[in-house]
Amino acid sequence: MSRKKARRNKKDLPVEKPVKVSPPWQKWLPIMIIGLAGLLVYANSFQGPFVFDDNEAIRDNQTIRNLASIGRVLFPETGAIAKGVTVEGRPLLNLSFAINHAMGGTEVWGYHAGNLLIHVLAGLTLYGIVRRTLLRVLSPERQNSAPWLSLAVALLWVVHPLQTESVTYMVQRAESLVGLLYLLTLYCFIRGADGARGWLAGAVALCALGMTAKEVMATAPLVVLFYDWVFVSGSIRQIWRERGVFYLALFSTWVLLATILLGTGGSNLDILKKMFSAEGAPSSAKDIISGMSWWEYAQTQFGTVLHYLRLCVWPRPLVFDYGTEAVQGFWDIVPAALLVLLLFAATVYGVWRRHWAGFAGAFFFLILAPTTSVVPTNQTTAEHRMYLPLAAVLSLLVAGGYAAWCKLQEKIARDGKLPAATAWIPPALLVALIALGLGVQTFWRNRDYQSEYVIWQDTVQKKPANARAHNNLAFFTLMQKGQVEEAIAHYQKALELKPDYADAHKNLSVTYLQYGQVDEAIFHARKVLEIKPDYAAAHYDLGNALMQKNQVDEAIDHYEQALEIKPDYAEACYNLGNALFQKGEVDKAIAIFQKALELKPHYPEALNNLGASFLQKGQIDQAILHFQKAREIAPDLPDASYNLGNAYLQKGRVNESIAQFQEALELKPDYVLAHLNLGNVLLQAGRVDEAMVHYELAIKFNPAELGALNNLAWIMATSPESSRRNGTRALALAQQ
């Protein structure tokens, strides 16, 4: 039986209400407020120095030095960046730092400006997402509130102090960059679901780009699917019918992420391999990055989630490095676990019922899942992980506050609403006051990032049981304050908290060696190698300490082991050459110095010592060539000038020799050998009085310098004028 389509007369059609066009200022005002607020609260962050992982990922990262070598920027060769460094396996992040470097080298303000730009753009994207979502869920009479509620969420999110780690800590651009791409992916989907199909292609492209920024992007396709289920489509069947091809493309971006992880063999992949290997059993997997098994790590995360939620509401205290504190006992685990599981169950129910709050919960848990679940990382808690999840919490709080205000409004105005002209004032003032309070805290938190010493001192005060914080505070106490005893005390505290902490033993060894306590340096270097036998830097440090004890053969052995572990270790190569030279094996030393220069062509100390080796063999022209190259690279290296003076002297170029010795003394006025050799040259040239001055200075800086003592005594005893003026002094010097 055929069915006729119902026809409607023109008069039966509903009368369309005229579309109310918002004035232009309503469109631009929220954007201006968000941008200005971000600039104000982070205005004092632009001079913050490189901190902690910034040094390896940016300052010392050789792969970002040449933007033209785009292949090396995106796909660094093995060993070009340290294993586990933040940019590893994240091509887009490394590219963003390379762009910064091309524009301003290692000037920190450029990196801070880039981070802030990304953060503000993310805030604007969040505003767009919330506004378009509210237009879907609010009743028609309340839709005028959508822009202002969206502004409240985005403004609080941009100025919230919990975001400082992702914005002020330069290397955590990883979090803000992936956050921007994550939000843009969702925004493009929302626009595409509204009918602009080209936006769906943009969502896939941005999702793929996000996979190259950070691994947390893996959850983005699921978040988009949940958004579609809750806000757009009526069923899974409808989703597949209308956007099946889109989701196939969106989920295929996982292949790109898997390819990157497998291609880099990064630390995240190592963790997963360890977890699912036989060694990954809860009782035995103590050697994963955090020192915890996956099961021990998972137990800590219930309390971590509650801590994150508390910081959303009361962001104090903020901690740079939480360390890897384990939970102990029933009361540390079960109450927190019950609360988190209850929240998770409510989220599942909300998603199933297609409630907007359920989506907010899913957004929160899905984004935290890669780091706040069972995969151990080097911190059990890290504030930058809340960069995106904070948006879900603030959305719930703003929506709850708005609902409460609407009910209060109805209660106050029993016979109708409050006048429209005044109804918005109380909530607007409240949001402004909260934003001001959060912004002030953000501004003050930025001050902790103005010095590495300050940020680690702050961390130790808040987390005194964090061994890594004590280790790093010790390092910067020594570097910035020169307080040796205090630094050693912090290293010792780190070892008290974590006796097998290899880095603390290593740093303590270097500190003891630097200040002449060689036996203690050797003890701690050996401790490092007991803990990590394949630690190249520890072999290098032990070799340096053994050289101070004149145990040359054993030092050579450790330098060679360091090079076996790390063949591109130029410093170990250089010191091995020094040891061989000291042992008298000059030909071997020359070969090793040349290898060091292959690894590090602009290595002035290696050039200088290679020249000294050629000088020892009588190859004076080769020696002069290398000394000159060393001086070109490092004009402030006194040893190169001194050695060049000796080489010129052997060639009979006396005046040039004198000039080089004088230059060495300008760079290092207490250079005893330069004073002695300059005195000798001046004496040979008949400039006796000048020679005496330099012999006296040599004796002043080293009273046991026999060459200067003998020569000065000889001058005074044999020179008629000197003997008449200084006979008594000559006798005293001769007796010395």
Side-chain angles (χ1 to χ4, degrees):
M1 187 171 69
S2 63
R3 290 189 303 172
K4 292 184 178 180
K5 292 183 180 179
R7 301 180 100 188
R8 300 176 66 183
N9 295 326
K10 198 170 183 179
K11 63 181 180 180
D12 296 330
L13 293 173
V15 177
E16 292 186 2
K17 295 181 181 180
V19 177
K20 185 178 179 181
V21 179
S22 300
W25 66 267
Q26 283 193 12
K27 178 180 180 181
W28 292 105
L29 184 62
I31 295 172
M32 293 172 63
I33 290 174
I34 292 167
L36 182 60
L39 182 60
L40 287 175
V41 299
Y42 286 100
N44 63 335
S45 69
F46 289 86
Q47 296 306 314
F50 293 120
V51 175
F52 198 34
D53 286 342
D54 290 341
N55 297 307
E56 280 190 325
I58 304 173
R59 188 195 66 190
D60 301 331
N61 184 355
Q62 298 299 314
T63 68
I64 66 172
R65 295 292 186 265
N66 185 4
L67 188 57
S69 302
I70 191 68
R72 189 167 190 253
V73 173
L74 297 176
F75 309 106
E77 64 273 17
T78 303
I81 53 177
K83 197 172 184 64
V85 73
T86 310
V87 296
E88 182 193 23
R90 296 166 180 174
L92 184 62
L93 177 62
N94 209 42
L95 175 61
S96 76
F97 289 141
I99 293 170
N100 262 127
H101 192 276
M103 295 174 68
T106 54
E107 291 290 332
V108 293
W109 70 267
Y111 298 90
H112 285 297
N115 281 18
L116 180 56
L117 177 62
I118 290 168
H119 181 54
V120 170
L121 289 174
L124 294 173
T125 308
L126 177 63
Y127 167 78
I129 290 170
V130 177
R131 186 179 70 84
R132 288 182 172 274
T133 304
L134 287 173
L135 291 175
R136 290 177 178 274
V137 299
L138 288 176
S139 58
E141 63 272 14
R142 296 199 184 279
Q143 287 189 354
N144 286 339
S145 302
W148 310 114
L149 292 173
S150 306
L151 173 60
V153 173
L155 176 63
L156 296 176
W157 185 82
V158 165
V159 302
H160 202 289
L162 192 53
Q163 306 290 51
T164 51
E165 189 170 302
S166 299
V167 182
T168 312
Y169 182 22
M170 284 173 276
V171 80
Q172 283 308 330
R173 179 181 296 182
E175 202 70 52
S176 57
L177 182 60
V178 78
L180 172 60
L181 293 167
Y182 206 117
L183 293 171
L184 284 171
T185 298
L186 183 56
Y187 179 79
C188 286
F189 167 75
I190 295 169
R191 295 295 302 269
D194 287 338
R197 309 294 291 184
W199 287 88
L200 295 179
V204 174
L206 287 163
C207 187
L209 200 59
M211 297 295 178
T212 69
K214 194 175 181 183
E215 297 79 2
V216 72
M217 195 72 189
T219 62
L222 293 171
V223 165
V224 171
L225 179 61
F226 283 145
Y227 188 98
D228 198 348
W229 163 260
V230 172
F231 296 109
V232 182
S233 302
S235 66
I236 295 295
R237 181 177 299 176
Q238 182 182 348
I239 290 173
W240 175 252
R241 184 175 64 250
E242 295 183 358
R243 284 179 288 278
V245 174
F246 163 72
Y247 280 108
L248 287 175
L250 191 66
F251 279 93
S252 71
T253 59
W254 281 352
V255 176
L256 174 60
L257 178 60
T259 302
I260 292 171
L261 287 174
L262 292 171
T264 59
S267 54
N268 291 320
L269 186 61
D270 290 343
I271 294 170
L272 291 171
K273 286 179 179 177
K274 179 67 72 174
M275 283 177 58
F276 295 106
S277 69
E279 297 175 0
S283 61
S284 62
K286 301 293 184 182
D287 53 344
I288 304 177
I289 284 179
S290 65
M292 296 180 174
S293 70
W294 65 269
W295 175 242
E296 290 170 328
Y297 185 84
Q299 292 176 62
T300 69
Q301 296 308 292
F302 296 112
T304 291
V305 170
L306 295 184
H307 179 71
Y308 288 154
L309 291 172
R310 185 188 67 77
L311 288 178
C312 293
V313 180
W314 187 255
R316 294 175 65 90
L318 297 177
V319 179
F320 181 65
D321 185 340
Y322 284 81
T324 54
E325 293 181 86
V327 292
Q328 302 290 334
F330 177 88
W331 293 110
D332 285 342
I333 302 170
V334 175
L338 288 175
L339 282 171
V340 172
L341 291 173
L342 184 62
L343 290 172
F344 183 76
T347 294
V348 173
Y349 179 76
V351 171
W352 178 251
R353 299 292 298 174
R354 301 177 63 203
H355 192 277
W356 64 269
F359 173 77
F363 187 87
F364 177 86
F365 281 111
L366 276 171
I367 294 172
L368 282 178
T371 54
T372 311
S373 53
V374 298
V375 182
T377 65
N378 59 5
Q379 289 190 75
T380 53
T381 305
E383 289 162 7
H384 63 262
R385 296 171 189 165
M386 279 296 292
Y387 185 74
L388 282 177
L390 176 63
V393 178
L394 292 177
S395 297
L396 288 168
L397 292 173
V398 169
Y402 176 69
W405 171 245
C406 289
K407 288 187 178 181
L408 182 62
Q409 213 177 340
E410 292 171 2
K411 187 176 181 180
I412 294 173
R414 296 180 182 277
D415 55 346
K417 294 182 179 180
L418 290 173
T422 59
W424 61 271
I425 295 177
L429 283 176
L430 180 61
V431 170
L433 286 172
I434 294 172
L436 178 62
L438 293 174
V440 169
Q441 286 192 62
T442 297
F443 191 87
W444 280 94
R445 179 58 174 166
N446 289 334
R447 297 177 65 180
D448 292 334
Y449 286 87
Q450 298 303 305
S451 159
E452 289 197 86
Y453 172 79
V454 171
I455 195 68
W456 287 116
Q457 184 183 49
D458 178 76
T459 305
V460 164
Q461 288 173 352
K462 294 170 180 175
K463 288 289 177 181
N466 184 343
R468 183 164 61 188
H470 281 283
N471 176 64
N472 290 328
L473 177 58
F475 182 81
F476 292 106
T477 296
L478 197 59
M479 288 287 291
Q480 296 186 18
K481 302 292 182 179
Q483 298 171 355
V484 182
E485 292 182 2
E486 185 180 342
I488 289 174
H490 280 295
Y491 284 135
Q492 291 172 336
K493 181 63 177 177
L495 291 171
E496 179 185 323
L497 293 166
K498 188 177 179 182
D500 62 345
Y501 192 1
D503 285 343
H505 279 295
K506 179 192 181 303
N507 289 341
L508 196 50
S509 172
V510 172
T511 302
Y512 278 133
L513 184 61
Q514 185 178 353
Y515 290 94
Q517 300 182 49
V518 182
D519 291 333
E520 289 84 353
I522 291 172
F523 171 81
H524 286 283
R526 293 194 191 279
K527 278 287 185 183
V528 178
L529 293 173
E530 287 176 13
I531 299 164
K532 294 175 71 173
D534 60 347
Y535 198 163
H539 283 288
Y540 171 77
D541 292 338
L542 182 53
N544 292 342
L546 291 167
M547 285 295 292
Q548 294 291 318
K549 297 283 285 185
N550 205 32
Q551 298 177 22
V552 180
D553 288 333
E554 191 177 354
I556 288 172
D557 179 59
H558 283 286
Y559 290 139
E560 288 175 340
Q561 288 187 64
L563 286 165
E564 186 176 337
I565 296 164
K566 187 181 178 183
D568 61 345
Y569 200 161
E571 289 76 13
C573 208
Y574 166 72
N575 276 8
L576 175 58
N578 291 337
L580 291 167
F581 183 87
Q582 184 171 325
K583 194 179 176 184
E585 299 181 11
V586 181
D587 289 331
K588 288 184 180 179
I590 288 173
I592 293 297
F593 286 134
Q594 288 172 332
K595 182 180 176 183
L597 288 166
E598 289 174 10
L599 296 170
K600 188 176 176 182
H602 300 289
Y603 197 163
E605 292 83 4
L607 282 163
N608 177 66
N609 287 14
L610 178 55
S613 300
F614 282 126
L615 193 62
Q616 180 76 8
K617 286 182 65 66
Q619 300 177 27
I620 302 173
D621 290 334
Q622 279 277 48
I624 289 173
L625 177 65
H626 286 88
F627 294 143
Q628 289 173 335
K629 285 183 179 178
R631 287 180 69 255
E632 287 172 10
I633 296 169
D636 58 347
L637 184 64
D639 286 347
S641 296
Y642 168 76
N643 285 334
L644 188 55
N646 287 331
Y648 282 147
L649 188 59
Q650 291 193 33
K651 291 286 284 187
R653 296 156 65 174
V654 176
N655 290 334
E656 291 170 277
S657 175
I658 291 172
Q660 291 303 316
F661 288 138
Q662 288 171 335
E663 186 171 319
L665 290 169
E666 286 177 10
L667 296 168
K668 186 179 178 183
D670 62 347
Y671 200 155
V672 174
L673 289 177
H675 280 296
L676 175 62
N677 284 14
L678 180 53
N680 292 340
V681 179
L682 292 169
L683 183 60
Q684 290 176 23
R687 295 157 64 176
V688 178
D689 289 338
E690 293 177 68
M692 288 178 65
V693 170
H694 287 286
Y695 288 140
E696 287 173 345
L697 286 171
I699 294 166
K700 174 186 174 182
F701 294 123
N702 181 12
E705 176 49 60
L706 293 178
L709 285 165
N710 289 335
N711 289 355
L712 187 56
W714 181 84
I715 291 171
M716 290 180 174
T718 59
S719 171
E721 293 184 12
S722 296
S723 60
R724 282 197 299 270
R725 293 194 303 265
N726 302 302
T728 304
R729 186 176 176 199
L731 179 61
L733 289 169
Q735 288 173 343
Q736 282 184 285

